[in-house]
Amino acid sequence: MSKITRYDMLKEQHLTGSQDGSVSLWEWGHQNAVATPRSPGTFAKVTRVRFSQHGNKFGVADSDGHLSLFQVACRDGTARPFFNYQCHSKVTADFVFLGACSLVATAGHSSEGRNVALWDTLLPQSKSLVQAFTCHDQGASSVILAPQHQLLISGGKKGDINIFDVRQRQQRHRFQAHESPIKCLALDPHEEFFVSGAGDGDIKVWGLTVHSLLYSFPGEHPRSSFFKNIGQGVTQLHVDSAGRLFSCGADGSMKVRQLPERDCVVHTYY
């Protein structure tokens, strides 16, 4: 079995995407996958799999820059994407569904520098690009949506964070968050803050509306490789409704922290 590179889960279903390009849809109680929308050895390495907010569709991004969207009701033999497009010329690293509408945001690396983009999946492919942003030198690596504020947050390979207004379809703010590539982002369910994890193992917590640094956890998941951008730092982040921060790293550890009540003082924890 090929190495699983990405994973997403709903209550009764979960998705796996692998290094060999394959994607499988699983259901609890079934020993085998109920569908294999992408077979092994045919497509590029999977960089991200995600379910939509209501769980009726899912998407797959890969290292060739493609994004493919499927209906969850798909089964083997009928698993055809309803949207399939090379959104970035080099790699599509991440994507997010923009609520229940037909819009999707992608983050990746394009030769022309348009590394964050909005797409309308109901339009013909030649017209599906709604907005493209020239940002993130050397590409964007992660993107999340704050639905209540309609803000799109992306992290770049140079450690910078960009914040976009989805309604106005314009860039609102940019700041330097880390000294190494940002590997992942996570949003507080109450939308008071968001979290960034970097390749040097640092984790930082930022205010959502004022973008100030609230907490810093240096070296939380230290580097496990001497080679740049390979197997380094923070690999996954999650914040639950109780304010607990879950993090995984290339050091092989998973950690849970209870974030204190928010105040105006920056806290650095070693």
Side-chain angles (χ1 to χ4, degrees):
M1 184 176 181
S2 177
K3 178 183 177 183
I4 293 174
T5 56
R6 291 299 174 183
Y7 181 86
D8 196 20
M9 181 175 65
L10 288 177
K11 261 187 174 181
E12 298 177 356
Q13 296 174 314
H14 54 288
L15 278 168
T16 56
S18 300
Q19 199 167 18
D20 62 7
S22 64
V23 174
S24 297
L25 178 66
W26 307 78
E27 291 181 355
W28 301 117
H30 292 261
Q31 186 175 359
N32 299 316
V34 297
T36 306
R38 291 181 27 153
S39 55
T42 308
F43 303 92
K45 172 186 173 182
V46 176
T47 55
R48 176 68 68 183
V49 291
R50 286 191 192 275
F51 285 104
S52 64
Q53 181 181 8
H54 296 293
N56 60 326
K57 52 190 175 183
F58 64 87
V60 181
D62 66 32
S63 58
D64 273 349
H66 288 90
L67 174 66
S68 303
L69 304 181
F70 298 83
Q71 299 291 342
V72 168
C74 74
R75 290 294 184 266
D76 282 332
T78 61
R80 297 286 185 271
F82 65 86
F83 179 86
N84 184 39
Y85 197 70
Q86 187 176 18
C87 297
H88 299 276
S89 60
K90 295 186 177 181
V91 60
T92 298
D94 200 359
F95 70 95
V96 63
F97 292 94
L98 301 187
C101 67
S102 58
L103 291 178
V104 176
T106 59
H109 192 188
S110 298
S111 56
E112 71 278 8
R114 297 177 179 178
N115 296 326
V116 175
L118 302 180
W119 308 83
D120 192 330
T121 60
L122 292 182
L123 295 177
Q125 287 191 358
S126 60
K127 300 179 179 179
S128 60
L129 179 60
V130 174
Q131 183 71 50
F133 301 98
T134 302
C135 57
H136 294 302
D137 185 25
Q138 295 188 6
S141 52
S142 186
V143 64
I144 55 174
L145 174 71
Q148 297 174 32
H149 290 82
Q150 283 295 286
L151 295 176
L152 194 67
I153 306 166
S154 62
K157 293 186 178 180
K158 286 292 190 73
D160 56 322
I161 285 177
N162 279 266
I163 299 179
F164 308 92
D165 188 314
V166 175
R167 295 189 185 96
Q168 300 296 323
R169 294 178 185 173
Q170 64 184 13
Q171 185 174 342
R172 175 180 288 188
H173 190 57
R174 178 193 179 278
F175 63 94
Q176 193 68 32
H178 294 269
E179 296 180 358
S180 63
I182 292 175
K183 296 290 188 177
C184 50
L185 298 167
L187 179 70
D188 159 41
H190 304 295
E191 294 195 14
E192 293 184 354
F193 60 86
F194 67 95
V195 188
S196 58
D200 58 7
D202 291 359
I203 295 176
K204 295 182 180 181
V205 182
W206 309 89
L208 179 63
T209 55
V210 293
H211 321 315
S212 58
L213 180 62
L214 302 178
Y215 309 106
S216 179
F217 307 105
E220 189 78 345
H221 293 281
R223 301 172 183 231
S224 62
S225 171
F226 292 105
F227 301 98
K228 277 192 172 183
N229 304 325
I230 301 176
Q232 284 188 12
V234 188
T235 56
Q236 193 73 27
L237 293 167
H238 175 74
V239 182
D240 68 7
S241 58
R244 292 180 298 179
L245 171 61
F246 298 78
S247 63
C248 295
D251 60 349
S253 70
M254 193 277 282
K255 298 181 180 181
V256 184
R257 283 183 176 270
Q258 179 67 57
L259 295 177
E261 292 295 326
R262 178 176 168 181
D263 52 38
C264 298
V265 180
V266 176
H267 295 279
T268 301
Y269 297 88
Y270 293 93

